[in-house]
Amino acid sequence: MAEYILETKDLGISFGGLKAAQNVNLKIKKNQIYGLIGPNGAGKTTIFNLLTCVYKPTTGTFFLDGEEIKRMSPDKINLKGIARTFQNIRLFNNMTVVRNVMVGLSNRPEYKCTILESALRLPRHFKVEREMREKAKELLRIFDLEQERNALACNLPYGKQRKLEIARALATNPKILLLDEPAAGMNPHETEDLAKTIRFIRDHFDMTVLLIEHDMNFVSDLCDEITVLNFGTVLAEGHTRTVLQDPEVIKAYIGG
C-alpha cells in the first residue's frame, strides 16, 4: 500500500505563456481532510481539473494510491476512485433528488445491466433499479435529504443542493472526495452542519477529503493539513493552524 492516497510530483500546466500551476507537490494521507487554499486566481480549481483529467498536465504527474493515472480519461479517473464537486453546483435539475444520486451509482460495476436487459426490461433490470434506489436513499439519509427524495433537484434550497451534489459524488464510491468550495453561499448554521457531515463521511466511509475553501474558520476547524497556492505555486504547506499564522500567507490574502 502506498504511503499517500494522493501524491502529485511537480504538477503543472501552462496555457500559452501563462503558467496556471507549476511545481505543485501534494502529499495527502489516507483519511485526512486536507485543504487547498489561496486567493482568487491562485490555481486551486486548476489543480482539481488536473487531478480529474479535465486538463492534461504540461509538467509533472500524480498518483492515486501509488498508481500513476495522469493519462486516463475523466470517467476512468472516477472509476479509479476520484470524485469531485464543482464551484457552481451541477445537478440534473429536472430529475428527482433520488435520481440524481442514482446517476452517481450507475457507473459502479455492481449496478451494471446489459443493453438487452434494460431494453427488454428483463427481471435483472428491475432488481438493479430497486437496489440502486435503496442505496441512494441510504446516502440521502446521511445528508438529511431522504424526505425530499422525490422532489426535483431544482426545487431544493441552495444549501441542500450543495449536499445533494456531495451525495452524488459519494455514490461513485471514491477513495478520495474533491470538494470545490462546498461551504460557498451557506449561512453559519449550514456551514457548521456541513463540517459535521464531512467528518462523518471521513469516519463512516473511511474517506479522504481534499477541499478548496475560502472560509478560513471552516478550514481551520476541519482540515488536518493545508497547502496554500499563490499565482499557481505553493506558498506554504503543513499543519493548518501553523500555516494560517504564516506572515507570507497572511500577506497573500490581505496584501501589504
Side-chain angles (χ1 to χ4, degrees):
M1 183 179 291
E3 183 178 0
Y4 302 104
I5 189 72
L6 181 69
E7 183 176 9
T8 71
K9 292 186 177 179
D10 298 324
L11 191 64
I13 187 170
S14 297
F15 299 102
L18 173 66
K19 293 182 177 180
Q22 55 183 318
N23 302 321
V24 175
N25 294 288
L26 301 175
K27 293 181 177 180
I28 302 173
K29 296 174 184 175
K30 187 175 181 181
N31 299 124
Q32 275 193 314
I33 300 176
Y34 198 102
L36 187 61
I37 70 169
N40 289 328
K44 305 180 296 297
T45 297
T46 298
I47 295 299
F48 270 26
N49 286 335
L50 288 168
L51 294 175
T52 51
C53 284
V54 174
Y55 298 156
K56 300 297 182 186
T58 308
T59 60
T61 189
F62 61 97
F63 303 83
L64 180 67
D65 213 8
E67 181 183 0
E68 186 175 28
I69 57 173
K70 73 170 185 176
R71 293 181 179 85
M72 293 183 180
S73 61
D75 62 309
K76 289 290 194 298
I77 290 285
N78 179 250
L79 283 172
K80 283 292 181 182
I82 297 179
R84 72 173 292 183
T85 64
F86 296 85
Q87 271 181 293
N88 301 313
I89 298 172
R90 298 186 186 181
L91 294 172
F92 299 102
N93 285 320
N94 293 317
M95 289 172 60
T96 62
V97 168
V98 71
R99 283 283 176 186
N100 266 270
V101 179
M102 288 170 71
V103 169
L105 292 167
S106 64
N107 209 27
R108 290 168 57 168
E110 62 265 40
Y111 298 120
K112 290 291 185 185
C113 283
T114 65
I115 294 174
L116 187 63
E117 287 169 335
S118 295
L120 298 180
R121 316 288 277 181
L122 297 179
R124 174 165 168 77
H125 168 84
F126 293 104
K127 178 177 181 292
V128 167
E129 177 103 354
R130 284 194 303 272
E131 290 173 353
M132 288 175 70
R133 185 172 291 275
E134 287 306 309
K135 182 63 176 177
K137 286 165 63 177
E138 179 185 319
L139 288 167
L140 289 172
R141 217 168 288 133
I142 292 168
F143 292 89
D144 197 25
L145 290 172
E146 189 181 9
Q147 295 301 313
E148 290 96 339
R149 65 186 180 275
N150 294 320
L152 293 179
C154 60
N155 291 335
L156 291 180
Y158 181 83
K160 290 191 174 185
Q161 287 188 13
R162 279 279 177 198
K163 285 187 173 185
L164 177 57
E165 190 179 34
I166 296 171
R168 186 182 61 188
L170 196 60
T172 67
N173 197 29
K175 295 178 180 179
I176 181 167
L177 188 60
L178 276 52
L179 305 178
D180 196 344
E181 298 191 32
M186 289 187 174
N187 62 43
H189 174 74
E190 290 171 331
T191 300
E192 182 181 352
D193 186 48
L194 177 64
K196 290 177 183 176
T197 301
I198 292 172
R199 289 192 189 96
F200 179 84
I201 289 169
R202 188 264 312 273
D203 297 337
H204 184 75
F205 291 94
D206 201 25
M207 185 69 59
T208 306
V209 179
L210 172 62
L211 62 89
I212 294 170
E213 189 52 63
H214 285 290
D215 184 333
M216 289 301 102
N217 289 327
F218 185 80
V219 169
S220 180
D221 290 343
L222 192 61
C223 294
D224 305 306
E225 295 184 67
I226 60 174
T227 289
V228 184
L229 293 180
N230 195 28
F231 298 111
T233 62
V234 174
L235 179 63
E237 58 190 346
H239 188 271
T240 301
R241 299 201 177 185
T242 302
V243 172
L244 290 179
Q245 293 169 358
D246 187 318
E248 289 301 314
V249 173
I250 296 170
K251 182 179 176 181
Y253 269 97
I254 67 174

